[in-house]
Amino acid sequence: MRVLLIGPHGRLGSAVGDALAPRHDLVTASRQAGDVTVDIRDPQSIAAMYEEVGRVDAVACAAGGAPYKPLTELTYEDFQAGAADKLLGQVELVRQGIAHVADDGSFTLITGILARRAVRTGAVSSLANGALEAFVKAAAIELPGRQRINAVSPTVFAEALDAYGDVFPGFLPVPVRDAAATYVRSIEGAETGQVFALGD
Ligand SMILES: NC(=O)c1ccc[n+]([C@@H]2O[C@H](COP(=O)([O-])OP(=O)(O)OC[C@H]3O[C@@H](n4cnc5c(N)ncnc54)[C@H](OP(=O)(O)O)[C@@H]3O)[C@@H](O)[C@H]2O)c1
């Protein structure tokens, strides 16, 4: 399959790339590196990416961020930033991608444990992840041409404990390769409308 991977050089994206590369033709995109440049916060940038890349069999997103701050310090702009990046960035990859993904193709989005569990400073992430997971279920029943869509929803990665360990005290981490294997399941399997939760 020809797979468009967004965010290929991050913790998650590099593991997803390693898992897919042996069997698939990868096209990579991010803001600073990759075959194509894209900023998923900008719909015009997404349009230019799809124009340049052409037809693909799968879109796999391993990008998207949201600010972590105490609730009382979060501004309206913080919520807008998280919505524009992790939430609407990925929704727009799907909305525009419908015209560029082959019949029987798939979208795999990244969400996270904060859709179902709460931590201090995680309100924007919880909002984005929960909304995305609802969107995945809704989009699955309307995608044309037997296109499929799933979300990978991991807890904190073992490889990210140095950066996020204090935010997730006592949470059992998952190795990033487990999340990468779940992308393979989503892309090569037949399931759709699923939220693949890793960790609790
Ligand atoms: N880290 C964790 O423990 C964890 C757990 C559960 C879920 N997640 C989710 O997994 C995803 C990836 O996390 P990570 O730890 O792998 O992050 P990371 O190491 O910071 O990597 C992010 C990747 O996405 C690209 N990227 C970032 N913003 C982008 C944008 N606006 N447009 C296009 N590309 C963009 C980056 O490349 P450029 O800088 O070149 O754009 C980079 O390749 C995030 O959505 C995160 O919320 C992470």
Side-chain angles (χ1 to χ4, degrees), residues 84-138:
D85 193 343
K86 186 150 189 182
L87 173 54
L88 292 181
Q90 295 196 85
V91 168
E92 192 61 9
L93 286 175
V94 176
R95 195 190 69 79
Q96 292 196 36
I98 287 170
H100 299 274
V101 169
D103 286 358
D104 292 313
S106 67
F107 297 92
T108 305
L109 307 186
I110 181 68
T111 61
I113 192 172
L114 296 186
R116 57 192 177 280
R117 300 288 175 207
V119 297
R120 290 187 190 91
T121 72
V124 180
S125 252
S126 287
L127 176 80
N129 290 339
L132 272 171
E133 293 185 4
F135 169 74
V136 161
K137 291 173 199 162

Side-chain angles (χ1 to χ4, degrees), residues 37-123:
T37 299
V38 71
D39 186 336
I40 64 169
R41 298 170 295 186
D42 176 2
Q44 289 185 339
S45 173
I46 291 175
M49 173 191 69
Y50 277 127
E51 192 63 35
E52 188 173 347
V53 169
R55 203 135 191 91
V56 294
D57 300 294
V59 175
C61 185
Y68 281 76
K69 282 188 192 175
L71 181 64
T72 52
E73 294 174 18
L74 281 169
T75 63
Y76 185 74
E77 287 71 28
D78 289 324
F79 280 98
Q80 281 185 316
D85 193 343
K86 186 150 189 182
L87 173 54
L88 292 181
Q90 295 196 85
V91 168
E92 192 61 9
L93 286 175
V94 176
R95 195 190 69 79
Q96 292 196 36
I98 287 170
H100 299 274
V101 169
D103 286 358
D104 292 313
S106 67
F107 297 92
T108 305
L109 307 186
I110 181 68
T111 61
I113 192 172
L114 296 186
R116 57 192 177 280
R117 300 288 175 207
V119 297
R120 290 187 190 91
T121 72

Side-chain angles (χ1 to χ4, degrees), residues 6-13 29-33 38-41 62-65 85-86 110-112 154-157 160 164:
I6 295 119
H9 302 297
R11 291 181 198 90
L12 174 61
S30 77
R31 293 168 303 184
Q32 301 178 69
V38 71
D39 186 336
I40 64 169
R41 298 170 295 186
D85 193 343
K86 186 150 189 182
I110 181 68
T111 61
T155 188
V156 65
F157 299 137
Y164 292 106

Side-chain angles (χ1 to χ4, degrees), residues 3-29:
V3 181
L4 172 59
L5 172 60
I6 295 119
H9 302 297
R11 291 181 198 90
L12 174 61
S14 47
V16 172
D18 289 346
L20 293 172
R23 289 184 306 286
H24 301 289
D25 174 18
L26 280 188
V27 184
T28 60

